[in-house]
Amino acid sequence: MEEQLLPPTPEAKTQRTRLLTILCILTFIGSGMNLISSFMIAAFYDTFVEVAKTFAEKFNLPGMEMIVESPPVFFLTTGLFYAASLTGALLMWNLKKAGFHVYTIAQILLVIAPMYFLKMQGPSMPDLLFSGTFVILYGMNLKTMK
């Protein structure tokens, strides 16, 4: 009896989950806007400080002095970390598992950067919760990535 060979079945193409799609789009928007603003502030630092001081005085905004006193290198550095965050999201959009690692490292560095540059005692709780939530949600999608 002759064995019949079946034609190879095409591998099921892995699809991006709806959650992963939403997370990536939110990251493209958030990190993209922060990337642009960080680099713009670094490039036009003196003008930014003048405008921010006037704005803070006019509207009595607490905490603005910390932003105004931040060195330009802080904004340049965070801009690079946001670029890494975008790169990680783009890789995850294309279902590359390495993107999760790039994104996670960028988020950790973004949480740590203010402590280093602004001499904060600890991480900002909103930053920690926001970054942590996104890392956990992205992590839930690792099984769909290669």
Side-chain angles (χ1 to χ4, degrees):
M1 185 170 191
E2 190 175 316
E3 277 187 48
Q4 195 174 31
L5 295 175
L6 297 173
T9 58
E11 250 184 71
K13 185 170 178 155
T14 307
Q15 293 284 326
R16 189 178 331 104
T17 65
R18 181 174 290 167
L19 176 61
L20 182 58
T21 300
I22 292 168
L23 290 170
C24 287
I25 290 170
L26 290 173
T27 300
F28 295 151
I29 293 167
S31 291
M33 289 173 53
N34 279 304
L35 168 71
I36 292 167
S37 66
S38 293
F39 283 152
M40 292 299 286
I41 290 170
F44 302 104
Y45 181 75
D46 293 332
T47 304
F48 165 75
V49 168
E50 288 176 34
V51 170
K53 282 181 181 178
T54 304
F55 191 75
E57 289 170 9
K58 183 175 182 179
F59 295 104
N60 193 24
L61 297 172
M64 190 64 122
E65 63 277 350
M66 184 172 60
I67 294 171
V68 170
E69 293 170 1
S70 302
V73 70
F74 168 72
F75 298 105
L76 184 62
T77 303
T78 57
L80 293 173
F81 295 156
Y82 282 117
S85 178
L86 272 173
T87 301
L90 184 61
L91 288 167
M92 287 187 283
W93 178 268
N94 292 317
L95 300 174
K96 305 290 183 200
K97 198 175 280 193
F100 174 75
H101 304 293
V102 171
Y103 178 84
T104 301
I105 291 168
Q107 292 304 306
I108 291 169
L109 292 172
L110 282 164
V111 168
I112 293 172
M115 295 185 320
Y116 177 77
F117 287 103
L118 309 180
K119 308 299 184 221
M120 294 175 63
Q121 295 299 317
S124 160
M125 194 53 68
D127 288 345
L128 196 59
L129 289 173
F130 195 72
S131 293
T133 300
F134 266 68
V135 168
I136 290 168
L137 292 173
Y138 273 127
M140 292 169 50
N141 287 277
L142 279 172
K143 62 184 173 280
T144 63
M145 299 179 213
K146 302 175 200 164

